Amino acid sequence: RETMWNLEGLYGGEYSAAAERTVFHRGFRWAFNPEQTEDTVEGMLIDEQSHRNTVVVAPTDQITYRWHEGVMVIDDPHAKVLVGFVPRDFDFAGDLRLRRITVDTPADMPFVIPGERYVGIGIVSMDGRPLERSQQIIVTASNTSFASGFEMDLEQVTKDTRYAWGLRDSVTDWGHYPVLVGRVGLTVQADWLVGRSYRMLDYNNHVLAEGKLARSRLTIPADLPVYITEITGP
């Protein structure tokens, strides 16, 4: 009860760090009981050493956190997702492969670390069928974006522990148009792509490119402002 009503205990009080580690491994559930005066734990919490020694954490059969590599993977027949500091090539289960993942970062993009490849890629069935039998698939690939001239006081950010409020108060210039967008390019390879149609759309749903795939690959270029790619058929 004391933790429940104490703002300092908002993220779990004395168990917050252990809860964060445990949720990656097998999930964690908070139960709030206003009649209970002391915090208790049912089950085992993951200690720091065990967490560090676990290279791949898999809370479900579909989700893996390869935190030593800096990536999260969702690998399910209906959805394939890769998020984090991605490699150049990546293979999912089955025959779906990602090749030549590239990031095109504008020259004036704020807070750029040379060579950093933080990307989110998703290939998702929209009709509930496995990807190889789906009639409607969405592909997204994103990096980051900032307004031109956006600036923050980085020293204040490191000292401020108020999370979102601290980030907000550290902004010294909200920037202006145009918005700078990091573009992601990649090639998706899978045998079931042959004969399907595709459309590449921008943020305003304007068609940037479209066609029918004669081979088992789809290339999304980093030099087009692609927001989503629709795959339909065959």
Side-chain angles (χ1 to χ4, degrees):
R1 185 173 61 196
E2 297 305 317
T3 297
M4 183 177 177
W5 301 118
N6 184 348
L7 288 179
E8 292 184 357
L10 184 62
Y11 298 98
E14 63 178 303
Y15 298 112
S16 61
E20 290 176 5
R21 293 190 296 266
T22 304
V23 74
F24 282 106
H25 291 259
R26 52 173 175 262
F28 190 93
R29 178 180 297 172
W30 292 109
F32 296 100
N33 182 358
E35 303 300 324
Q36 182 173 321
T37 58
E38 295 183 359
D39 298 334
T40 57
V41 176
E42 296 182 9
M44 280 185 57
L45 296 173
I46 299 296
D47 62 80
E48 185 172 356
Q49 189 61 44
S50 297
H51 182 59
R52 288 185 177 278
N53 290 341
T54 306
V55 176
V56 178
V57 177
T60 74
D61 292 337
Q62 298 83 15
I63 302 172
T64 56
Y65 296 97
R66 307 182 183 185
W67 68 283
H68 283 201
E69 302 172 41
V71 296
M72 182 199 74
V73 180
I74 298 177
D75 200 342
D76 181 85
H78 307 80
K80 310 287 186 179
V81 177
L82 177 66
V83 179
F85 299 98
V86 301
R88 183 175 185 273
D89 303 318
F90 188 84
D91 293 348
F92 290 99
D95 73 336
L96 195 147
R97 303 168 298 280
L98 306 180
R99 294 292 182 265
R100 294 185 292 279
I101 302 172
T102 60
V103 181
D104 185 5
T105 305
D108 296 330
M109 178 77 79
F111 314 121
V112 171
I113 299 176
E116 185 176 74
R117 297 165 51 84
Y118 195 87
V119 169
I121 299 170
I123 304 168
V124 180
S125 167
M126 301 299 291
D127 59 11
R129 302 176 184 178
L131 289 168
E132 61 184 17
R133 293 190 285 108
S134 176
Q135 299 293 301
Q136 185 179 14
I137 297 169
I138 293 293
V139 181
T140 64
S142 58
N143 175 236
T144 191
S145 61
F146 284 98
S148 297
F150 181 89
E151 294 182 0
M152 297 182 71
D153 184 338
L154 298 182
E155 288 190 10
Q156 180 173 332
V157 171
T158 60
K159 298 175 182 177
D160 201 316
T161 60
R162 296 175 299 145
Y163 303 101
W165 296 275
L167 287 173
R168 178 200 62 192
D169 292 343
S170 298
V171 176
T172 57
D173 190 332
W174 290 98
H176 52 81
Y177 287 111
V179 175
L180 304 174
V181 180
R183 307 288 182 190
V184 180
L186 74 154
T187 295
V188 181
Q189 296 181 354
D191 292 340
W192 45 261
L193 285 172
V194 177
R196 295 176 183 260
S197 299
Y198 70 89
R199 294 198 312 161
M200 298 182 189
L201 309 176
D202 67 11
Y203 289 111
N204 297 307
N205 271 351
H206 297 147
V207 178
L208 301 173
E210 59 185 331
K212 191 168 185 178
L213 297 169
R215 297 190 298 171
S216 58
R217 65 185 62 186
L218 169 65
T219 297
I220 301 174
D223 58 357
L224 286 179
V226 178
Y227 175 50
I228 60 172
T229 300
E230 298 175 339
I231 302 174
T232 57

